[in-house]
Amino acid sequence: LLQGMVFYRPIATLYRQAAGVSVFQITLIESISLALALALEVPWGILADRIGYRRSMILCCGLYFLSKIVFWQASGFGGFLAERLMLSVVCAGLSGLDVSILYLSCPEEESHRVFGIYNNLGMAGLLAASAVYAVFVGENYRLAGLLTVFSYGAAAVLALFLREVHPSQARTASHQLADFAALLGQLARSPRLLLLVLAAAFLNEAHQTITTFLNQVQYTQAGLSASAIAAVYVVMTLLGLCGGFSARLTGWLGERRTGALLPGLAAAACLALALTQGPLVSVAAILLLRVCHSLFTPLQTTLQNRQVRTADRATALSLNALLMDLVAVFTNLVFGRAADFALPLAMGFGFVLCFAGLVLYL
């Protein structure tokens, strides 16, 4: 909930632009950050399985807090790059760790519902932060950064009170490397899991880039005012809460049809954004993209956890995240270049990603 309270999120792109960073530089920073996260994914997973999930979570939350301090004070390309490099260490550490703690803390049959609640709490925090921004912050971007520092500091304190669900394992490095090689072999022999991970990666990246960075450019070109953009962002955050209905939707349609419907609708939303810059269509398409991603995330998280057949759950899920990071490094650069050339071209690339995700899921 507290880490969802990113008070500058409604103006994340505008915040960076006001500090002297271009859209391409933003996406370049994202790609560099993801490349580092990619390099750290598996080592972090092995470390988490070795020192325990609680200690790993405390380390990640503490560094997360420090990264927000850097962001608050950042100016220019170098400052924001430093913040993203710190964040890449955090993301690599949390990847697979948070969902592993949740998965091991509840009955397996409840995991889909629990992941939906987890995502909703993050969205609720973001909604609260967006409301505070719209009412109290306004054009004071640095105040939004400072408020985010406070919320992440509180989250770091709460991490100290977590209960260990995966005690540390005293194993030699050679044993850990052998276990990792075995996990890598299992992943290579699981084509269906590979296809699922890639499908999720394509939808995740289209959603992340469009709803975090490109949406603000789209709204501005469509003629929306700053207050209208903030209001739309609040609605978009509210719709993110629909992830709590993911288990119910899947129970009604089945996993196959649900997983096919959501990337298909996301592809349609991206196509609409590529073909028009009208304000109503732009807002509706971006809101639809948020709904599809919110409903798909608990489903794909459950499917990935279900296929883990080892006690080293964090390491196994880090391997999946490694593949997703590889995809993201490439897609961020393409999105950035396409957006600098023509925004509809970037939205068209989002359509390609979502449609490819649909095909891979099927």
Side-chain angles (χ1 to χ4, degrees):
L1 176 70
L2 288 167
Q3 288 178 347
M5 298 178 105
V6 182
F7 291 88
Y8 59 80
R9 186 71 179 272
I11 40 86
T13 301
L14 303 179
Y15 188 113
R16 292 172 171 89
Q17 287 179 322
V21 182
S22 68
V23 173
F24 176 69
Q25 286 178 323
I26 291 172
T27 56
L28 177 61
I29 289 172
E30 288 287 308
S31 291
I32 294 172
S33 172
L34 283 168
L36 178 58
L38 184 153
L40 295 175
E41 277 284 359
V42 174
W44 249 120
I46 294 174
L47 179 65
D49 284 320
R50 183 168 186 174
I51 69 174
Y53 291 174
R54 177 179 176 273
R55 290 178 182 174
S56 299
M57 197 72 176
I58 291 172
L59 288 174
C60 288
C61 290
L63 188 56
Y64 222 166
F65 168 55
L66 295 177
S67 75
K68 294 307 175 186
I69 296 177
V70 174
F71 184 91
W72 169 45
Q73 293 294 317
S75 179
F77 181 84
F80 287 101
L81 176 61
E83 180 265 339
R84 292 303 297 185
L85 292 180
M86 294 176 67
L87 193 58
S88 64
V89 178
V90 174
C91 291
L94 289 179
S95 175
L97 178 63
D98 50 356
V99 295
S100 293
I101 292 175
L102 287 174
Y103 192 81
L104 294 173
S105 299
C106 69
E108 183 177 351
E109 63 274 9
E110 291 290 311
S111 61
H112 194 155
R113 185 179 67 85
V114 168
F115 290 138
I117 294 171
Y118 178 51
N119 292 331
N120 273 3
L121 286 174
M123 286 295 108
L126 186 55
L127 175 62
S130 300
V132 170
Y133 171 84
V135 176
F136 299 107
V137 178
E139 301 296 325
N140 191 346
Y141 296 166
R142 293 296 179 179
L143 176 58
L146 177 60
L147 292 175
T148 305
V149 170
F150 293 151
S151 63
Y152 275 69
V157 172
L158 287 183
L160 298 172
F161 300 96
L162 288 173
R163 178 179 297 176
E164 182 60 80
V165 294
H166 185 85
S168 58
Q169 301 175 13
R171 293 181 295 175
T172 65
S174 59
H175 283 158
Q176 288 184 306
L177 288 175
D179 291 343
F180 167 68
L183 289 173
L184 189 60
Q186 291 177 16
L187 180 61
R189 293 189 298 271
S190 304
R192 293 177 67 189
L193 177 57
L194 286 172
L195 294 175
L196 169 66
V197 171
L198 288 175
F202 287 163
L203 179 56
N204 285 350
E205 292 312 309
H207 167 267
Q208 167 68 11
T209 305
I210 292 175
T211 63
T212 303
F213 300 113
L214 300 184
N215 62 334
Q216 295 160 43
V217 182
Q218 179 89 4
Y219 293 151
T220 301
Q221 294 185 4
L224 271 67
S225 65
S227 59
I229 292 174
V232 171
Y233 194 85
V234 171
V235 175
M236 184 174 70
T237 306
L238 273 172
L239 289 177
L241 297 173
C242 70
F245 297 99
S246 178
R248 187 175 301 177
L249 178 65
T250 303
W252 179 41
L253 294 179
E255 290 177 349
R256 181 178 175 83
R257 280 185 289 183
T258 301
L261 174 67
L262 298 175
L265 289 175
C270 292
L271 183 60
L273 291 169
L275 295 178
T276 180
Q277 290 185 335
L280 292 179
V281 174
S282 296
V283 170
I286 289 173
L287 294 182
L288 176 60
L289 184 58
R290 169 52 65 92
V291 169
C292 292
H293 180 264
S294 299
L295 290 170
F296 188 74
T297 297
L299 171 61
Q300 64 94 1
T301 304
T302 299
L303 292 176
Q304 286 191 50
N305 271 276
R306 188 185 298 163
Q307 296 195 52
V308 174
R309 298 289 184 268
T310 174
D312 297 333
R313 182 170 297 276
T315 304
L317 293 175
S318 288
L319 278 174
N320 297 351
L322 181 65
L323 289 177
M324 299 176 80
D325 286 345
L326 279 169
V327 172
V329 169
F330 167 73
T331 59
N332 275 325
L333 290 175
V334 176
F335 269 122
R337 274 302 180 197
D340 277 351
F341 183 75
L343 187 60
L345 188 61
M347 299 304 186
F349 181 60
F351 164 75
V352 172
L353 287 180
C354 292
F355 185 79
L358 165 63
V359 174
L360 292 174
Y361 187 89
L362 291 175

